[in-house]
Amino acid sequence: MIFFDNPNFPSAQDLDLENKLFLPTSRLYTQLNFQLQTLYQDIRAELFDIHALMASSAKQLYEQPGPTLTAWYDQAASRSVELYARINGELLPKAQASYQQLIVDLADAGRETQLYLQNFMENPETAAAAAIEPVTAYLAAATEASEAALVSGYYALADLFNMFLEQPTETLEASYHYLLSQLLELYFQAVSSLLMQI
């Protein structure tokens, strides 16, 4: 349905700027400002924690270099063992299973291709017709839809042209108000969607 087919088109559209533009924009600004302040505070706290940890580690290394380096080496070795065990216990089996499934899928695709080619060699006309049939059906449906849209668009444009001839100022003003109200509605929906996501 084209906008000037709408029975409410000739009447002036109510532009609800307060609820469709000002309030959503204000809410979005407030929400983004709050989230940016929260992010700033989180980053600041994290940087303080990192600085305190580094200062503590440096002080510990300065005061007791031997035991500290030994403890760090033990931690690194322990984490390396954990990482190695995780790679061998979790990641490699998953990768091997994915590889095996890929091999099976490729073998199945090869068999299907071989069967299709064999069928095509034995009966090329039937195989070609079966392959082309979905494309032909899609093109037929698209052609029908295009014809219907063109006819509908033609009549709609003729109606709009007649409206412009009969009442040019009112039609132009109604078009302006209608399109502006639709833009406000799109803006409102976009901002509302953003507010739900953040």
Side-chain angles (χ1 to χ4, degrees):
M1 181 165 140
I2 301 177
F3 70 91
F4 48 84
D5 287 344
N6 186 339
N8 296 328
F9 171 71
S11 62
Q13 300 291 321
D14 180 30
L15 301 178
D16 189 7
L17 294 175
E18 181 71 24
N19 291 320
K20 299 287 182 175
L21 180 67
F22 300 132
L23 287 177
T25 304
S26 174
R27 279 189 225 124
L28 181 63
Y29 174 77
T30 302
Q31 183 69 23
L32 287 175
N33 190 24
F34 174 74
Q35 288 193 346
L36 286 174
Q37 286 178 354
T38 303
L39 178 64
Y40 170 75
Q41 293 299 330
D42 290 347
I43 290 172
R44 187 171 183 230
E46 191 65 31
L47 288 174
F48 279 136
D49 291 346
I50 290 171
H51 180 266
L53 178 65
M54 289 175 63
S56 171
S57 297
K59 183 178 178 184
Q60 184 180 3
L61 179 64
Y62 179 75
E63 291 173 353
Q64 300 174 345
T68 302
L69 290 175
T70 302
W72 288 357
Y73 175 80
D74 291 342
Q75 285 178 350
S78 172
R79 288 188 181 160
S80 297
V81 168
E82 289 174 10
L83 182 61
Y84 180 77
R86 183 170 179 227
I87 288 172
N88 283 333
E90 292 177 27
L91 301 178
L92 282 179
K94 287 180 183 177
Q96 287 174 343
S98 297
Y99 175 74
Q100 292 298 328
Q101 185 61 43
L102 177 65
I103 295 297
V104 168
D105 291 344
L106 287 175
D108 289 346
R111 278 192 295 277
E112 288 178 15
T113 303
Q114 185 179 12
L115 288 173
Y116 177 78
L117 289 175
Q118 182 180 1
N119 185 27
F120 184 78
M121 294 301 222
E122 292 172 359
N123 197 352
E125 293 173 358
T126 306
I132 294 174
E133 183 180 346
V135 175
T136 306
Y138 173 77
L139 288 176
T143 302
E144 288 177 18
S146 297
E147 288 174 358
L150 284 174
V151 169
S152 174
Y154 171 76
Y155 286 121
L157 285 174
D159 290 345
L160 181 63
F161 184 71
N162 288 334
M163 288 175 70
F164 268 118
L165 288 177
E166 293 170 6
Q167 301 173 332
T169 306
E170 292 82 3
T171 304
L172 189 59
E173 185 177 310
S175 299
Y176 170 76
H177 281 284
Y178 184 83
L179 292 173
L180 191 58
S181 70
Q182 293 303 308
L183 285 173
L184 280 172
E185 184 63 32
L186 285 173
Y187 177 80
F188 175 74
Q189 289 174 1
V191 169
S192 297
S193 176
L194 278 172
L195 282 170
M196 284 188 235
Q197 292 178 2
I198 58 174

